């Protein structure tokens, strides 16, 4: 039996050291095992032959059989192409090449039987097959070829002469070499109870299925296994940690909470807020350390939930801390808390990078002695000089802005880890949350405070400025405020800032009666603060900014969000930005300004935005459009693994099965120590070597 995992790919017949290097660099194929697990991205049915007269321009790949009548070169220079007139005796079709002309004319002969495989297209009213695959007809046994695999390749591979066909040859050779049954990697009892196909069969059929059903079964088994081990690992870790660390028990819901609820609350809580507060109370009272993700669309009132949860900590003689990603946001929270808690015996302090000197010393001392009850801050609260007397609860706002490591640091500020509530307005689809966070409980605020009018979103091309200004004037005239946002990315920073500056000047000319703030990433922090502050206080009516305003600012009087170059923003970001308006009781508007020519994807994004205000719907659509790797907000927290086969957007059901199965297995055998689970243990060990620090993730 060959040791697949240690057998270097270069020794596979047909590969050799040079191609092995390319395979390693480009597709991370180093061993036979790697090749085995490099799956085709699609299969094409090669059992059927078409007649040329059946072909139409909108067919997927087809194959036809016949002979080349003649070759001809057409066109000049870069347009030069080689055309072969091909017939099956009844119809005529053109085979076309734009490069490799010499090779083609020497490799293929006229009046010889070939099977031609390609995708029909229409050019000048005639059907073409561009750069088709051609095989001598007598070399193929079409009916036995079944579904042909297609593998991903890269530019570098193509330059080294490696294409999908080469990989097909390699895998064929490999399977010829594997004259034994590939050892099972799931416990036998799971394979049979879940009616999975064996690993051996799954691997063979994932590359070379005999029919579509075989392929489906093979993929199901492999996806299940992939997700199962990830779930097993996360859940095992989470259970382990739960045993090791106990949580503080907040048994009391005491006078502060009650007094706040009865006397200070300026409005009635929404049903969703009440439910979430109840969930949090239960968590913090049960002796387990709380680790809860609070998802709620922008404007759904997460801050209040945070505040009331913190009061429970205070009622139990603990301190609480809330960390926000920007200074402006920290200051806003600080202001809100001070105002709402006015008259209660609670000392709230602010700690950011700009709190210095004597002030800072006072805050730090207060924290250490325990007379500061609630600390509101930015990253600054993570510094080692910040010492709490008894930190019992931590809230992290807009959690996707913080890295995993930063979160872990907050934990360490307390004997037992404090209860943690992370809040985000970036809705993480359930499937992704399940994969990312093993034991993070999830609460959702799925209801907006009453009286909010849903934001009207419209799409406008950027050559229609006048109507845009008219609408802005209308809202400004009613005393409202307006955001105008420009994209800013590192690669095109100079251009982006130029766009913003030009936009700013245009606005100054178009709306001379209003005052305009301007904020972008290149400004000094103090300057930025001042400009923002002017807008927050209402001194200026328009804020022209790059995405620095994306996170959390609350200006209820702002009713228009204009997003320039909207085609350059992702869905999640557009939704976040839109959430800056619609916070008061007035009708608000979001205007997506784009250029005229748009890609299909962009048009889809804009359409979704104009059709729905529901963050979860948008997140699901985003996951489908872009794939989980790109999903905003998960990039920083980082999917700790690459899924080879499973697709979080589509395989939700398999994921659920994998998770349920993992739970069951661990209920029965917490340490995977049973004889029948040995193979599982070995897989887990392997998995763990390839992963980042799981403790930081869950
Ligand atoms: P987010 O969830 O985006 O952080 P905030 O907590 O900033 O939202 O709340 C948005 C606005 O809604 C704030 O002005 C807040 O005072 C208000 N708000 C929160 N809860 C309620 C409620 N139950 N009824 C009315 N207004 C509320
Ligand atoms: Mg918020």
């Amino acid at each position: 039996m060959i040791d697949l995992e240690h057998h270097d790919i270069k020794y596979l017949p047909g590969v050799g050291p040079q191609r092995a290097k390319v395979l390693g660099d480009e597709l991370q194929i180093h061993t036979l095992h790697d090749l085995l697990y490099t799956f085709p991205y699609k299969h094409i049915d090669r059992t059927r032959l078409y007649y040329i007269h059946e072909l139409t321009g909108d067919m997927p790949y087809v194959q036809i059989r016949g002979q080349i009548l003649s070759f001809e070169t057409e066109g000049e220079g870069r347009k030069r192409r080689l055309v072969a007139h091909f017939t099956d005796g009844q119809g005529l079709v053109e085979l076309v090449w734009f490069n490799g002309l010499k090779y083609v004319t020497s490799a293929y002969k006229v009046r010889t039987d070939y099977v031609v495989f390609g995708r029909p297209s229409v050019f000048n009213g005639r059907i073409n097959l561009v750069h088709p695959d051609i095989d001598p007809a007598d070399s193929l046994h079409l009916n036995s070829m079944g579904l042909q695999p297609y593998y991903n390749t890269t530019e570098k591979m193509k330059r080294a002469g490696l294409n999908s066909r080469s990989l097909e040859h390699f895998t064929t050779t490999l399977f010829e070499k594997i004259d034994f049954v590939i050892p099972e990697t799931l416990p036998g009892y799971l394979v049979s109870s879940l009616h999975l196909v064996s690993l051996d069969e799954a691997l063979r059929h994932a590359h070379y299925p005999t029919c579509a059903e075989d392929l489906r079964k093979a993929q199901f088994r492999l996806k299940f296994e992939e997700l199962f081990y990830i779930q097993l690992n996360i859940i095992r870790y989470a259970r382990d940690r739960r045993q090791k660390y106990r949580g503080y028990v907040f048994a009391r819901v005491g006078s502060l909470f009650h007094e706040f609820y009865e006397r200070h609350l300026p409005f009635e809580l929404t049903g969703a807020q009440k439910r979430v507060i109840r969930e949090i109370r239960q968590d913090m009272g049960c002796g387990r350390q709380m680790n809860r993700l609070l998802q709620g669309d922008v404007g759904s009132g997460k801050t209040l939930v945070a505040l009331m949860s913190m009061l429970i900590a205070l009622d139990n003689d603990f301190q609480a801390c809330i960390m926000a990603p920007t200074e402006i946001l920290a200051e806003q929270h600080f202001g809100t808390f001070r105002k709402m808690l006015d008259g209660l015996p609670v000392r709230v302090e602010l700690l950011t990078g700009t709190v210095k000197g004597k002030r800072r010393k006072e805050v730090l001392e207060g924290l250490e002695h325990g007379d500061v009850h609630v600390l509101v801050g930015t990253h600054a609260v993570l510094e080692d000089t910040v010492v709490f007397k008894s930190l019992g609860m931590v809230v992290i706002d807009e959690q996707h802005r913080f890295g995993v490591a930063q979160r872990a640091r907050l934990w360490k500020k307390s004997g037992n880890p404090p209860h943690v509530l992370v809040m985000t307005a970036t809705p993480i689809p359930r499937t992704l949350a399940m994969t990312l966070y093993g034991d993070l409980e999830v609460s959702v605020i799925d209801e907006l405070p009453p009286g909010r009018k849903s934001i009207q979103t419209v799409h406008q091309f950027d050559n229609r400025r006048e109507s845009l200004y008219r609408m802005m004037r209308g809202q400004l005239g009613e005393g409202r405020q307006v955001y105008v946002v420009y994209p800013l990315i590192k690669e095109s920073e100079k251009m982006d800032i130029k766009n913003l500056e030009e936009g700013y000047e245009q606005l100054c000319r178009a709306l001379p009666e209003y005052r305009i703030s301007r904020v972008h990433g290149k400004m000094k922090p103090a300057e930025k603060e001042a400009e923002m502050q002017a807008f927050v206080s209402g001194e200026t009516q328009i804020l022209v900014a790059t995405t620095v305003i994306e996170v959390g600012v609350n200006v209820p009087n702002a009713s228009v969000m204009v997003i320039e170059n909207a085609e350059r923003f992702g869905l999640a970001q557009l939704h976040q930005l839109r959430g800056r308006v619609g916070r008061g009781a007035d009708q608000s508007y979001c205007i997506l300004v784009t250029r005229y020519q748009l890609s299909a994807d962009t048009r889809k994004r804009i359409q979704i935005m104009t059709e729905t205000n529901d963050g979860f719907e948008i997140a699901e659509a985003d996951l489908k459009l872009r794939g989980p790797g790109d999903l905003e907000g998960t990039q920083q927290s980082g999917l700790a693994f690459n899924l080879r086969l499973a697709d979080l957007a589509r395989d939700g059901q398999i994921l659920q099965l994998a998770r349920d199965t993992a739970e069951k297995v661990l209920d029965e055998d917490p340490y995977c120590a049973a004889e029948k689970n040995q193979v599982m243990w070995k897989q887990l060990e392997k998995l763990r070597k390839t992963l980042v620090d799981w403790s930081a993730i869950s």
Side-chain angles (χ1 to χ4, degrees), residues 601-631:
D601 253 20
T602 306
R603 247 177 283 139
K604 182 89 206 154
R605 281 205 303 273
I606 304 271
Q607 188 198 343
I608 292 168
M609 285 297 293
T610 53
E611 279 171 3
T612 181
N613 273 302
D614 181 329
F616 284 90
E617 230 174 89
I618 290 173
E620 297 284 346
D622 201 28
L623 187 60
K624 287 207 172 104
L625 276 177
R626 311 204 304 171
D630 289 339
L631 200 76

Short mmCIF file of all heavy atoms in Angstrom, two decimals, residues 601-631:
data_model
loop_
_atom_site.label_atom_id
_atom_site.label_comp_id
_atom_site.label_asym_id
_atom_site.label_seq_id
_atom_site.Cartn_x
_atom_site.Cartn_y
_atom_site.Cartn_z
N ASP A 601 -23.07 41.74 -11.71
CA ASP A 601 -23.00 41.60 -10.26
C ASP A 601 -23.39 42.88 -9.54
O ASP A 601 -24.12 42.86 -8.56
CB ASP A 601 -21.55 41.27 -9.87
CG ASP A 601 -21.43 39.82 -9.45
OD1 ASP A 601 -22.34 39.03 -9.81
OD2 ASP A 601 -20.44 39.50 -8.77
N THR A 602 -22.86 43.98 -10.04
CA THR A 602 -23.17 45.27 -9.42
C THR A 602 -24.65 45.57 -9.54
O THR A 602 -25.28 46.00 -8.58
CB THR A 602 -22.37 46.40 -10.10
OG1 THR A 602 -21.00 46.03 -10.07
CG2 THR A 602 -22.58 47.70 -9.39
N ARG A 603 -25.20 45.32 -10.71
CA ARG A 603 -26.62 45.59 -10.88
C ARG A 603 -27.45 44.79 -9.88
O ARG A 603 -28.39 45.28 -9.30
CB ARG A 603 -27.05 45.28 -12.31
CG ARG A 603 -27.46 46.54 -13.06
CD ARG A 603 -27.81 46.26 -14.50
NE ARG A 603 -26.62 46.05 -15.29
CZ ARG A 603 -26.49 45.11 -16.22
NH1 ARG A 603 -27.48 44.30 -16.47
NH2 ARG A 603 -25.37 45.00 -16.90
N LYS A 604 -27.01 43.55 -9.66
CA LYS A 604 -27.70 42.68 -8.71
C LYS A 604 -27.61 43.30 -7.29
O LYS A 604 -28.59 43.34 -6.56
CB LYS A 604 -27.03 41.30 -8.75
CG LYS A 604 -27.65 40.26 -7.87
CD LYS A 604 -28.75 39.50 -8.59
CE LYS A 604 -29.71 38.97 -7.54
NZ LYS A 604 -31.04 38.76 -7.94
N ARG A 605 -26.42 43.75 -6.95
CA ARG A 605 -26.24 44.33 -5.62
C ARG A 605 -27.14 45.54 -5.42
O ARG A 605 -27.81 45.69 -4.40
CB ARG A 605 -24.78 44.78 -5.42
CG ARG A 605 -23.84 43.66 -5.09
CD ARG A 605 -22.63 44.16 -4.34
NE ARG A 605 -21.88 45.19 -5.03
CZ ARG A 605 -20.92 44.96 -5.90
NH1 ARG A 605 -20.59 43.72 -6.19
NH2 ARG A 605 -20.29 45.95 -6.48
N ILE A 606 -27.16 46.42 -6.43
CA ILE A 606 -27.97 47.62 -6.33
C ILE A 606 -29.45 47.24 -6.22
O ILE A 606 -30.21 47.82 -5.44
CB ILE A 606 -27.76 48.51 -7.58
CG1 ILE A 606 -26.28 48.84 -7.74
CG2 ILE A 606 -28.64 49.75 -7.54
CD1 ILE A 606 -25.78 50.05 -7.05
N GLN A 607 -29.82 46.24 -6.98
CA GLN A 607 -31.22 45.81 -6.96
C GLN A 607 -31.60 45.30 -5.57
O GLN A 607 -32.64 45.67 -5.03
CB GLN A 607 -31.41 44.71 -8.00
CG GLN A 607 -32.86 44.32 -8.19
CD GLN A 607 -32.98 42.96 -8.88
OE1 GLN A 607 -32.03 42.47 -9.47
NE2 GLN A 607 -34.15 42.36 -8.78
N ILE A 608 -30.74 44.49 -4.98
CA ILE A 608 -31.03 43.98 -3.65
C ILE A 608 -31.20 45.13 -2.67
O ILE A 608 -32.11 45.17 -1.86
CB ILE A 608 -29.90 43.03 -3.18
CG1 ILE A 608 -29.92 41.76 -4.03
CG2 ILE A 608 -30.05 42.68 -1.71
CD1 ILE A 608 -28.70 40.89 -3.87
N MET A 609 -30.28 46.11 -2.78
CA MET A 609 -30.34 47.26 -1.87
C MET A 609 -31.64 48.05 -2.01
O MET A 609 -32.19 48.52 -1.02
CB MET A 609 -29.16 48.20 -2.13
CG MET A 609 -27.83 47.71 -1.61
SD MET A 609 -27.79 47.52 0.18
CE MET A 609 -27.95 49.23 0.69
N THR A 610 -32.11 48.20 -3.25
CA THR A 610 -33.32 49.00 -3.42
C THR A 610 -34.56 48.21 -3.02
O THR A 610 -35.60 48.78 -2.76
CB THR A 610 -33.50 49.50 -4.86
OG1 THR A 610 -33.41 48.38 -5.74
CG2 THR A 610 -32.43 50.50 -5.25
N GLU A 611 -34.43 46.88 -2.98
CA GLU A 611 -35.61 46.07 -2.68
C GLU A 611 -35.81 45.75 -1.21
O GLU A 611 -36.92 45.49 -0.78
CB GLU A 611 -35.54 44.76 -3.47
CG GLU A 611 -35.99 44.94 -4.91
CD GLU A 611 -35.74 43.71 -5.74
OE1 GLU A 611 -35.26 42.69 -5.20
OE2 GLU A 611 -36.02 43.78 -6.95
N THR A 612 -34.71 45.69 -0.45
CA THR A 612 -34.90 45.27 0.94
C THR A 612 -34.05 46.09 1.91
O THR A 612 -32.98 46.57 1.57
CB THR A 612 -34.58 43.77 1.14
OG1 THR A 612 -34.80 43.43 2.51
CG2 THR A 612 -33.15 43.44 0.77
N ASN A 613 -34.58 46.20 3.13
CA ASN A 613 -33.86 46.85 4.21
C ASN A 613 -33.41 45.83 5.24
O ASN A 613 -32.83 46.16 6.27
CB ASN A 613 -34.78 47.85 4.93
CG ASN A 613 -34.74 49.21 4.27
OD1 ASN A 613 -33.69 49.82 4.16
ND2 ASN A 613 -35.89 49.68 3.81
N ASP A 614 -33.69 44.55 4.95
CA ASP A 614 -33.46 43.50 5.93
C ASP A 614 -32.01 43.01 5.88
O ASP A 614 -31.56 42.41 4.90
CB ASP A 614 -34.42 42.34 5.63
CG ASP A 614 -34.27 41.20 6.62
OD1 ASP A 614 -33.15 41.01 7.14
OD2 ASP A 614 -35.27 40.52 6.89
N GLY A 615 -31.29 43.29 6.95
CA GLY A 615 -29.86 42.97 6.99
C GLY A 615 -29.56 41.49 6.80
O GLY A 615 -28.54 41.13 6.22
N PHE A 616 -30.44 40.64 7.28
CA PHE A 616 -30.16 39.21 7.15
C PHE A 616 -30.34 38.75 5.71
O PHE A 616 -29.56 37.96 5.20
CB PHE A 616 -31.03 38.40 8.10
CG PHE A 616 -30.52 38.50 9.50
CD1 PHE A 616 -30.96 39.50 10.34
CD2 PHE A 616 -29.55 37.62 9.95
CE1 PHE A 616 -30.45 39.62 11.63
CE2 PHE A 616 -29.03 37.74 11.23
CZ PHE A 616 -29.49 38.74 12.07
N GLU A 617 -31.37 39.27 5.09
CA GLU A 617 -31.57 38.93 3.68
C GLU A 617 -30.35 39.39 2.88
O GLU A 617 -29.86 38.67 2.01
CB GLU A 617 -32.80 39.70 3.17
CG GLU A 617 -33.83 38.86 2.45
CD GLU A 617 -35.05 39.70 2.14
OE1 GLU A 617 -35.06 40.32 1.07
OE2 GLU A 617 -35.98 39.77 2.98
N ILE A 618 -29.86 40.56 3.21
CA ILE A 618 -28.71 41.11 2.50
C ILE A 618 -27.47 40.26 2.75
O ILE A 618 -26.71 39.96 1.84
CB ILE A 618 -28.50 42.57 2.89
CG1 ILE A 618 -29.65 43.41 2.29
CG2 ILE A 618 -27.16 43.09 2.41
CD1 ILE A 618 -29.68 44.84 2.73
N ALA A 619 -27.31 39.83 3.99
CA ALA A 619 -26.13 39.01 4.30
C ALA A 619 -26.16 37.67 3.56
O ALA A 619 -25.14 37.20 3.07
CB ALA A 619 -26.04 38.77 5.80
N GLU A 620 -27.34 37.08 3.48
CA GLU A 620 -27.46 35.81 2.75
C GLU A 620 -27.13 36.04 1.27
O GLU A 620 -26.41 35.25 0.66
CB GLU A 620 -28.87 35.23 2.85
CG GLU A 620 -29.33 34.87 4.26
CD GLU A 620 -28.71 33.57 4.78
OE1 GLU A 620 -28.15 32.81 3.97
OE2 GLU A 620 -28.79 33.33 6.00
N ALA A 621 -27.67 37.11 0.73
CA ALA A 621 -27.42 37.40 -0.68
C ALA A 621 -25.92 37.65 -0.90
O ALA A 621 -25.35 37.20 -1.89
CB ALA A 621 -28.21 38.63 -1.12
N ASP A 622 -25.31 38.32 0.05
CA ASP A 622 -23.89 38.63 -0.04
C ASP A 622 -23.07 37.35 -0.05
O ASP A 622 -22.14 37.19 -0.84
CB ASP A 622 -23.51 39.49 1.17
CG ASP A 622 -22.24 40.27 0.92
OD1 ASP A 622 -21.96 40.58 -0.26
OD2 ASP A 622 -21.53 40.57 1.89
N LEU A 623 -23.43 36.45 0.83
CA LEU A 623 -22.72 35.17 0.92
C LEU A 623 -22.83 34.43 -0.41
O LEU A 623 -21.87 33.84 -0.89
CB LEU A 623 -23.31 34.34 2.06
CG LEU A 623 -22.61 33.04 2.43
CD1 LEU A 623 -21.19 33.30 2.87
CD2 LEU A 623 -23.37 32.32 3.53
N LYS A 624 -24.02 34.49 -1.00
CA LYS A 624 -24.21 33.78 -2.27
C LYS A 624 -23.44 34.46 -3.39
O LYS A 624 -22.85 33.79 -4.24
CB LYS A 624 -25.69 33.73 -2.63
CG LYS A 624 -26.43 32.75 -1.75
CD LYS A 624 -27.66 32.16 -2.43
CE LYS A 624 -28.24 31.06 -1.56
NZ LYS A 624 -29.44 31.47 -0.84
N LEU A 625 -23.42 35.77 -3.40
CA LEU A 625 -22.74 36.50 -4.47
C LEU A 625 -21.23 36.40 -4.36
O LEU A 625 -20.53 36.33 -5.36
CB LEU A 625 -23.13 37.98 -4.46
CG LEU A 625 -24.42 38.40 -5.16
CD1 LEU A 625 -24.65 39.89 -4.96
CD2 LEU A 625 -24.37 38.07 -6.63
N ARG A 626 -20.73 36.44 -3.15
CA ARG A 626 -19.29 36.58 -3.02
C ARG A 626 -18.57 35.39 -2.44
O ARG A 626 -17.36 35.28 -2.53
CB ARG A 626 -18.95 37.78 -2.15
CG ARG A 626 -19.71 39.02 -2.56
CD ARG A 626 -19.04 40.24 -2.15
NE ARG A 626 -18.75 40.32 -0.72
CZ ARG A 626 -18.00 41.26 -0.21
NH1 ARG A 626 -17.44 42.14 -0.98
NH2 ARG A 626 -17.81 41.30 1.09
N GLY A 627 -19.29 34.51 -1.77
CA GLY A 627 -18.62 33.39 -1.13
C GLY A 627 -18.11 33.80 0.24
O GLY A 627 -17.83 34.97 0.47
N PRO A 628 -18.00 32.86 1.16
CA PRO A 628 -17.71 33.18 2.55
C PRO A 628 -16.34 33.81 2.77
O PRO A 628 -16.16 34.60 3.67
CB PRO A 628 -17.79 31.83 3.25
CG PRO A 628 -17.64 30.82 2.17
CD PRO A 628 -18.16 31.44 0.93
N GLY A 629 -15.38 33.47 1.91
CA GLY A 629 -14.03 33.99 2.11
C GLY A 629 -13.99 35.50 2.04
O GLY A 629 -13.20 36.15 2.71
N ASP A 630 -14.87 36.06 1.24
CA ASP A 630 -14.86 37.49 1.02
C ASP A 630 -15.75 38.24 1.98
O ASP A 630 -15.74 39.45 2.01
CB ASP A 630 -15.43 37.80 -0.38
CG ASP A 630 -14.47 37.39 -1.45
OD1 ASP A 630 -13.29 37.27 -1.12
OD2 ASP A 630 -14.92 37.21 -2.59
N LEU A 631 -16.55 37.52 2.70
CA LEU A 631 -17.58 38.19 3.47
C LEU A 631 -16.97 39.20 4.42
O LEU A 631 -16.08 38.91 5.18
CB LEU A 631 -18.40 37.18 4.25
CG LEU A 631 -19.73 37.75 4.65
CD1 LEU A 631 -20.66 37.79 3.47
CD2 LEU A 631 -20.33 36.93 5.77
#
